[in-house]
Amino acid sequence: SRCRPGTAAASTSARASGALRLTIDLTHVGFVDSIGLGVLVHARNRCNDVGASLVVRGMPDHTRAMVDASGLAGLFTYEG
């Protein structure tokens, strides 16, 4: 399967280090579009593949609304 830039490296790094949790911090991200949502879903799937969890931190309200509207809210664990 085709990997999004950075997500394969992050999940490979998580697996190699024995990490059980990958946190993606969106606190300083001003805009997320459908491509960004796709990257989050891909990262979540890769984490599942290696037995890790994905936590999304600091998701802006407008991004959370888009996630909710797209039916993807249940895929993620949220922090902050």
Side-chain angles (χ1 to χ4, degrees), residues 47-68:
C47 283
N48 283 351
D49 290 347
V50 300
S53 64
L54 174 70
V55 175
V56 181
R57 178 182 295 151
M59 183 178 282
D61 291 340
H62 62 278
T63 303
R64 181 65 189 259
M66 186 170 53
V67 169
D68 291 345

Side-chain angles (χ1 to χ4, degrees), residues 17-74:
S17 71
L20 297 176
R21 174 177 150 155
L22 174 65
T23 301
I24 297 178
D25 190 341
L26 299 178
T27 302
H28 300 289
V29 175
F31 177 78
V32 175
D33 61 7
S34 61
I35 302 282
L37 286 182
V39 169
L40 289 174
V41 170
H42 183 77
R44 182 253 186 203
N45 291 341
R46 292 294 302 245
C47 283
N48 283 351
D49 290 347
V50 300
S53 64
L54 174 70
V55 175
V56 181
R57 178 182 295 151
M59 183 178 282
D61 291 340
H62 62 278
T63 303
R64 181 65 189 259
M66 186 170 53
V67 169
D68 291 345
S70 66
L72 300 173

